[in-house]
Structures are given as structure tokens and as C-alpha cells.
Amino acid sequence: MRLSLAVAVLLSSASSASAYSSSSWGVPKSSKLFSTVEGTSVGVDIPILSTEQAVVEVESNAPVTISGAAIKERLESMLQKLQKKDATSRQLSKEDLEVVFEDEHIVVINKPTNVLTVTSNGDHPNLAQSVFDAIGCEASRADMMVVHRLGMDTSGLIVFAKTTEALRNMHTAFRTRTIERKYEALVCGHVEKDEGMIDLPLMRDYVFPPFMRVSTDEHQQNLLQVDPEELDKKYLQAPKESLTKFSVIAREELEGQPVTRVALTSISGRTHQLNVHLAAFGHPIVGDTVYGVNGWAARDGGLTEDELSVMVPNASRASLDLQKAISNVAKTPCVHAKSLKFRHPVTLEELSLSVDAPF
């Protein structure tokens, strides 16, 4: 078994097990990362695997050797599935929009679930177009209102710009991570620790493109077999250091099954970070049809049992049977962008906004 280079360095630098906090994974107590919490062609061409075949290979820890052409074919297949899901996005009228804050420069909406923020391919209903149609903006284009995005399944606070100045300054604020965003989620099982950190590097998953997974040295080395000219450069990028803070709000039950309500802060703000981290932690988000049990992406953040025991040790990990039982009763993905705190992009007023989760 090989660990990611980042985790391997951390493990080798610890003089003993006591160098690690009981409520953190992969980060020594002395790590400066804790201070930021308050503050986001070569290769063998093989037959394209079905999702079930790929899962078998991953779970058996068999080496996955794949060419750029094969990765692209798998990607195209999955994008077709995602397009079908995008087509189910809800159409919102002006009356459907829940405005949390609005002035002449920005508007903040409480986004419902099952609505795309923007559309990529195709003309599917999306929140940006609904906001533009109802409110409009200085640039007279829906795409010139988009500051950031929430996933189709994620509810909660999202900011749109009404002026070019606001758009430019909000983009800078998100890029420099001066905006504080907190999420609320229901996760499978009862989380034992009241609070903690999950520190696991992320990479694009070439077995289940276009999704993300926890990066390991083995998977990084497998990519060396791929001709870089055959593959989108995002799949060849170095692992992205990723840090998530969690704290337990309440331990509850959903249709008789144990779940935990948690507050989450994505300190590093990587793509799908919360979903992958919680899945690897052993407490996937309730209703997550991508990274949860029987989802489209690799289960457990893509890690084997041996890797999980070393990189994310967790005695309270939700069993596979429990995850399946919760999946059978979950009616919707339970992740919500609960609060935003930021300086107004034009007036510089400090804004602190919050909305309750719908679950």
C-alpha cells in the first residue's frame, strides 16, 4: 500500500502517535494549518470498464493501468449521465426566489435543492437565468451575475452580482478566500468526536472521471503512464492539499437510522471537498448519490480499507449496511450552505447572513 506523498511525509515526521490530535486526521498538532481555521503514446489501452467492473478493481486493490483514450471514453459516458440529471433541474419563477439580501450591487438568494446554478451544455433551467430574468444586472447578461456556484443538490446561500464592480470585487474575495462559508449536513452514522479536522489531499479520479478522490502515491504514479497530450491537464495536476473542519450539532435518527447533524467549514475550498472528505471519514452525506454508497464516484473517497485505517482512522465509521439502509430512506441530499460572512464588495459593510437548512 502506498500513501500520498503529503501524508507519507507527515507520518514519517511524527516521532510518535502522540504527535496527532485525537480529533484530527493526517495533521500534527503543531501544524500551522490549525491556525487558519478561524480565517479553501505511453500506457496500456485496456477495455473500458463498467462502473461495476471498476469498483471490483478498486476494491481488490488491483493496479489500474489506463490510457488517455480510455479515460476520455469513460468521461464522455459519465458526462452523458450528468446531462440527463441536469435536464431535471427545476424551473424557478420570480415568486419562487427567496431573497435574503439585496441592494443595488448584489443579491443573495436562498437556493433550493435540485436546481442548477448555471447550465453548461444544453439549455436547462438554472438559478442564474431565473435571477437575471427577475432582477437583471448592469451587464444585461445572466453569466455576468455569477459570483460562485453551488452544486445542483446543494441548498443555501448564493451571491449574484448586479454591477460589474461588484462582480469583479466578489471574484477577488472568493479567490483570496476572505469570505467565510459554513455548511450544515446530515451524515450517515453517529460521529464519535464532537469536533475535528479532516486533512486529505484530493485529485481528479481517472477511474471515475470527472469526479474527485483522495490522492495516493500509487494513483499519482499510474498517471505517469498516460501521454499528457491525450488527457485534460486537470487530471495531471499535483494533489491539492485539502482541509475540512467539522463539529457535531446533534446526533439524530432518520427513519430509525442513526445520523449526525454537522457544521462544516471547507477551509481550502476544493471541488467536491466536503463530499469526498466525509465519505473517506466513513460518514458520507445522507442522500449523496455521487460519493455515497452505490454512487457514481468511488466509495470511501477512493481509498482501500488498509489506506482508510492509516489515513483516516475512525472507530465510529458507518457500516456499509447502515449506509445502504439510510440511502433507502433518504429523500434528498442533505447538504446546505448555511451561512456567509463577507465584506460588501462596494460599500465595504460587513455582512453576516444565515438561513436554516430544509432538512
Side-chain angles (χ1 to χ4, degrees), residues 1-4 7 11 58-61 200 213 216 218 280 300 302-314 317:
M1 177 191 69
R2 286 194 174 118
L3 304 181
S4 68
V7 174
L11 288 174
V58 171
E59 292 186 343
S60 65
N61 206 23
L200 295 167
R213 57 156 292 136
T216 66
E218 179 178 346
D300 299 325
L303 298 175
T304 65
E305 289 188 11
D306 286 344
E307 289 168 336
L308 289 169
S309 66
V310 175
M311 297 174 73
V312 208
N314 178 16
R317 183 179 299 277

Side-chain angles (χ1 to χ4, degrees), residues 264-284:
L264 302 167
T265 303
S266 174
I267 295 172
S268 40
R270 308 299 184 193
T271 301
H272 299 178
Q273 176 181 317
L274 299 180
N275 306 70
V276 180
H277 273 183
L278 289 165
F281 182 33
H283 300 284

